[in-house]
Amino acid sequence: MHVLVVDDQALNRSLLSVMLKQQGYQVTTANNGIEALAVIDSQSIDIVLLDVLMPEMDGYETAPKIKQRSEDVYLPIIFITSLEDKDSLEHCLAVGGDDFIHKPFDKVILTAKIKAHSRTRQLSLKAHEQNAQLEYHYNQTEREHEIVEHIFNNALENQNEFSNNIDFHLSPASMFNGDMLLVAQSPIGSLYCMLGDFTGHGLAAAVGALPASKVFYTMVNKGMAVNDIAHEVNTVLAKLLPGHMFCAATIIELSSSGKSISAWLGGLPDAYVIDQQGKVLKTLESQHMALGILDADEFERELIHFEVDNTTRIVLATDGIIETANDEDEYFGEQRFIQVLGSKTQVSCHDIIEQVTKFAKGSKQQDDLSLVLFNCLPVPSSKAEAETYSPLPFNFSLSLNSAQIKQTDPVLEVVDVITRVSGLKAHRSDIFLLLSEAYNNAVDHGLLGLDSDIKNHDDGFFEFYQQREAALASLQGAMIIIEIRYCPETLCLYFTICDSGNGFTSNNRGHSLAREHGRGLSLLEEIADYVSYNASGNQIEMRYKLT
Amino acid sequence: MSLSKTASADGTTLTIQIKGKFDFNLVQSFRQAYAEIGDKTAKVVIDLRETDYMDSSALGMLLNMKKTLGTSVDAIHISNCQPQLKKILQISRFDKKFDID
């Protein structure tokens, strides 16, 4: 403990110094208020003994200035005074004094008072230190929450992109939501929506949303089916989450035309299919265990599949709604929920939440509460950015002998190579079709001389491919040449497929598309911009326009 | 290239999903996929979400299926087609015979 003695009389200063040093205190002295403040500014002082009457700056003026300098921690000021009148003592207290010592000094009283105030000082120091620590941890937590919140926002919140299709309300019980709503569109345009409810609420419940969302978005991007997505999320969560945690979830997919729904339902309360008036057309009950419980090989993939139209709406909710309780411990429940859905035409999430809040009558929200109204409208497709066409002219040529024709099915491999040229990937299905039709025509009819008419018989289709296999096995001395040229000036692909056979006749052309064996060549002529056959019928040339 | 089939939870819908290439290489497995269809099955969904390629042999297989199943199912849906494949189905007038989505 460091005591500052402030007195203009040298005798008092040395008397007090000696007494205090004997008690083991560190002592510093000052002649007046100005000197005292300078000491307090430069050294750490624990207790101040302050004379009232001093030149330069007296005790009354000094005391408030000392208190000002020590706002956070209690710094006791004990006035040294010979004054006895009540007014003076009151004045001392009013300016910030905490106690008095009367002259002449009584050693026992002085010691007792110093001890008492140093205890208080120590307590105050300790409290201050703990406060600082608390504040440090608080700030640290705040900062961490901010970072996590930022990550969550970036990872999860893209639901607003599809506001025509999706009306939703999410209200977490605490800062982090243990409910999760994910929405995304696949490359073929279908719209996916996943509503999940992790065990518990708060940050502990929310962490699972990060890996789950990553899996969801990745798989939607690949256009996977909802049960495949559920399977994958289940595998990831089963691996990551502690045993008592899981995620009840519903995943639905609306086709881009807005006409059909596939759904995987695992553990959430009933979902409802409603019409514009809110009448429940169908109740979708949960069919599976929640995600994150079963091993991958036990996982149940069964889906629900049904047709919808643009007036159909699907209502998804976590248990927060039906389990909202009022002050009489009564639950909102399914009956009230269904009633609210039908309370007006095109009920909105806002309308429903209003009713739920009214019911709760100010009772504290116990769990995360999420509600989704999914409108089955055709989904506007997101325009994927088109690859630019390569400015380089490419030529590709491939010559196959009998052995290679027997052993391989070269079409897909050729397509894979060709579509490496920038800009062609978007046309891969068409390129495949053209090559597949031309190549298989060359093999089936040019080299093997098979008769397509067989395909018209009962089960002839299957028989045809059995015959093909047999004929292919004994193929000898045959050859097929494939040439493909990419021309960046005309933005066309030129194909030539030539076989060593006797020539296929092109008299199937123009036949009704209803005839199965004619379909191939007719289709080819629709997809290609120009098709021609040589006179002997063993070579086909095609032009395909890329734009 | 592969083919998988799943029955819906209530057993009324059979979904056949084809990955990658839908052509004559699947002739046998495709036929098998619907060969032992149950009485309960009212709808068959051919899910082409992961099908990148198809040619006229696939069209033939689809028509064969329709012929075989006849009126034993209410509907055959061809769903989740990529745009180019949808075009192929439309050119072939398949939209008249199947529900294409």
Side-chain angles (χ1 to χ4, degrees):
Chain A
M1 283 279 127
H2 190 178
V3 183
L4 173 62
V5 176
V6 189
D7 202 315
D8 58 330
Q9 288 173 32
L11 180 65
N12 284 342
R13 288 202 302 272
S14 58
L15 207 60
L16 286 166
S17 289
V18 171
M19 285 164 74
L20 290 167
K21 278 179 182 163
Q22 279 173 351
Q23 303 285 322
Y25 293 104
Q26 184 190 348
V27 182
T28 302
T29 59
N31 286 324
N32 55 48
I34 293 175
E35 275 185 36
L37 292 176
V39 171
I40 286 169
D41 285 342
S42 61
Q43 299 182 41
S44 151
I45 297 297
D46 295 307
I47 296 172
V48 181
L49 294 179
L50 187 61
D51 191 16
V52 178
L53 302 171
M54 291 180 291
E56 306 283 340
M57 190 189 280
D58 66 10
Y60 294 139
E61 195 184 344
T62 312
K65 291 193 158 73
I66 291 175
K67 286 289 180 185
Q68 219 174 30
R69 279 165 165 74
S70 175
E71 276 179 337
D72 296 335
V73 188
Y74 171 62
L75 176 55
I77 297 174
I78 303 173
F79 272 104
I80 308 166
T81 176
S82 46
L83 303 169
E84 289 286 353
D85 63 296
K86 205 178 153 198
D87 284 355
S88 309
L89 297 181
E90 254 179 27
H91 195 188
C92 286
L93 291 176
V95 296
D98 296 297
D99 211 339
F100 307 95
I101 300 177
H102 294 283
K103 296 183 219 175
F105 308 118
D106 180 309
K107 195 175 167 184
V108 176
I109 291 178
L110 175 71
T111 310
K113 286 194 170 179
I114 295 273
K115 259 191 190 155
H117 285 287
S118 67
R119 267 200 305 274
T120 317
R121 165 75 177 172
Q122 250 156 355
L123 278 177
S124 174
L125 277 172
K126 199 168 168 191
H128 180 69
E129 193 189 331
Q130 284 172 340
N131 274 342
Q133 260 177 22
L134 217 67
E135 197 176 309
Y136 171 81
H137 287 299
Y138 178 78
N139 287 339
Q140 179 122 329
T141 309
E142 280 284 282
R143 210 162 43 239
E144 282 172 356
H145 277 184
E146 265 169 41
I147 293 169
V148 176
E149 204 181 6
H150 179 87
I151 294 171
F152 272 95
N153 286 347
N154 285 348
L156 305 180
E157 295 198 354
N158 65 337
Q159 305 100 337
N160 292 318
E161 279 175 43
F162 305 97
S163 51
N164 262 347
N165 288 90
I166 293 181
D167 175 18
F168 67 94
H169 173 90
L170 304 177
S171 77
S174 63
M175 181 171 186
F176 292 102
N177 202 341
D179 286 358
M180 151 182 93
L181 172 64
L182 305 174
V183 182
Q185 193 176 20
S186 75
I188 54 170
S190 51
L191 185 63
Y192 293 70
C193 172
M194 173 171 183
L195 183 65
D197 179 359
F198 286 90
T199 322
H201 51 83
L203 184 56
V207 282
L210 291 180
S213 65
K214 183 150 176 16
V215 171
F216 174 83
Y217 290 130
T218 307
M219 295 197 69
V220 170
N221 240 333
K222 290 187 191 155
M224 308 295 266
V226 285
N227 50 356
D228 289 332
I229 296 175
H231 179 264
E232 205 58 31
V233 174
N234 177 67
T235 307
V236 167
L237 292 183
K239 210 169 94 190
L240 293 180
L241 296 184
H244 65 279
M245 262 184 83
F246 47 83
C247 176
T250 293
I251 311 177
I252 60 177
E253 177 193 0
L254 172 70
S255 63
S256 59
S257 61
K259 285 184 191 153
S260 76
I261 288 277
S262 312
W264 185 93
L265 306 151
L268 280 187
D270 290 352
Y272 302 108
V273 180
I274 60 171
D275 62 14
Q276 296 288 299
Q277 277 65 49
K279 191 177 144 229
V280 175
L281 305 173
K282 198 195 278 255
T283 302
L284 308 176
E285 284 169 18
S286 162
Q287 313 202 306
H288 304 297
M289 299 272 266
L291 298 168
I293 299 173
L294 297 173
D295 286 339
D297 55 342
E298 302 169 310
F299 186 76
E300 301 157 352
R301 316 171 62 93
E302 283 79 19
L303 295 177
I304 294 187
H305 194 95
F306 55 94
E307 261 77 76
V308 290
D309 61 44
N310 57 19
T311 62
T312 317
R313 310 177 84 196
I314 298 173
V315 188
L316 306 178
T318 56
D319 54 9
I321 295 227
I322 53 173
E323 288 178 10
T324 290
N326 63 12
D327 45 10
E328 281 141 37
D329 277 339
E330 198 182 352
Y331 283 139
F332 188 70
E334 290 167 8
Q335 281 314 311
R336 282 192 192 83
F337 189 25
I338 291 172
Q339 262 167 29
V340 174
L341 292 176
S343 62
K344 63 189 269 197
T345 304
Q346 280 216 307
V347 70
S348 70
C349 280
H350 180 81
D351 299 330
I352 298 169
I353 295 302
E354 213 171 56
Q355 292 301 314
V356 173
T357 315
K358 210 165 120 188
F359 173 81
K361 289 185 213 144
S363 293
K364 188 176 177 294
Q365 186 183 332
Q366 295 297 322
D367 193 5
D368 303 320
L369 187 155
S370 307
L371 173 67
V372 181
L373 288 173
F374 191 97
N375 298 314
C376 299
L377 300 170
V379 197
S381 64
S382 57
K383 288 274 175 281
E385 218 159 286
E387 226 181 16
T388 52
Y389 289 106
S390 169
L392 302 175
F394 282 95
N395 280 302
F396 176 90
S397 132
L398 178 72
S399 171
L400 298 164
N401 63 25
S402 302
Q404 288 150 349
I405 294 167
K406 279 181 207 179
Q407 285 155 16
T408 63
D409 180 15
V411 176
L412 189 56
E413 215 170 319
V414 172
V415 173
D416 282 342
V417 174
I418 298 293
T419 52
R420 297 291 279 275
V421 175
S422 177
L424 299 191
K425 190 133 214 142
H427 299 273
R428 64 189 196 282
S429 303
D430 281 350
I431 296 170
F432 174 87
L433 182 100
L434 294 176
L435 274 173
S436 177
E437 298 304 337
Y439 177 81
N440 287 319
N441 229 328
V443 175
D444 298 355
H445 307 301
L447 299 181
L448 303 178
L450 295 173
D451 181 3
S452 272
D453 277 346
I454 186 174
K455 289 187 190 166
N456 289 342
H457 305 156
D458 275 352
D459 227 12
F461 204 75
F462 185 55
E463 211 172 305
F464 177 85
Y465 286 103
Q466 280 179 320
Q467 282 191 12
R468 182 188 196 271
E469 210 171 318
L472 203 54
S474 53
L475 183 68
Q476 274 181 336
M479 179 174 273
I480 292 183
I481 297 167
I482 301 172
E483 279 172 6
I484 304 170
R485 185 160 62 86
Y486 163 69
C487 176
E489 282 81 27
T490 58
L491 280 179
C492 283
L493 279 174
Y494 300 87
F495 299 83
T496 305
I497 288 101
C498 175
D499 66 76
S500 60
N502 299 326
F504 64 80
T505 49
S506 58
N507 59 10
N508 279 334
R509 284 188 297 153
H511 274 212
S512 156
L513 285 163
R515 282 193 65 186
E516 282 157 44
H517 53 274
R519 191 179 304 109
L521 291 181
S522 309
L523 197 53
L524 182 145
E525 288 179 9
E526 294 271 351
I527 300 290
D529 164 51
Y530 168 82
V531 181
S532 82
Y533 307 86
N534 68 350
S536 52
N538 67 343
Q539 178 172 310
I540 180 171
E541 287 184 33
M542 303 179 282
R543 183 177 68 203
Y544 175 73
K545 272 186 120 114
L546 296 164
T547 50
Chain B
M1 174 190 65
S2 72
L3 181 149
S4 62
K5 61 168 185 170
T6 11
S8 68
D10 59 2
T12 59
T13 308
L14 172 72
T15 303
I16 301 175
Q17 199 175 342
I18 292 150
K19 292 186 182 167
K21 186 170 71 146
F22 186 10
D23 71 358
F24 70 87
N25 290 294
L26 287 178
V27 102
Q28 201 161 358
S29 47
F30 188 74
R31 199 171 66 141
Q32 270 164 6
Y34 62 80
E36 286 159 22
I37 196 164
D39 291 344
K40 262 176 86 183
T41 310
K43 187 167 73 179
V44 177
V45 177
I46 311 297
D47 190 339
L48 298 186
R49 69 178 66 240
E50 287 182 82
T51 312
D52 294 312
Y53 309 109
M54 65 189 277
D55 64 9
S56 62
S57 63
L59 301 180
M61 283 147 69
L62 289 169
L63 285 179
N64 254 10
M65 176 178 70
K66 191 166 170 67
K67 223 188 298 181
T68 307
L69 295 179
T71 52
S72 68
V73 293
D74 299 339
I76 300 174
H77 286 261
I78 302 176
S79 64
N80 302 312
C81 307
Q82 297 179 20
Q84 287 194 319
L85 299 190
K86 193 176 240 179
K87 192 174 81 187
I88 291 171
L89 292 168
Q90 279 163 350
I91 288 171
S92 312
R93 312 282 182 274
F94 266 47
D95 43 353
K96 300 252 187 297
K97 300 191 175 99
F98 297 88
D99 294 310
I100 296 174
D101 187 7

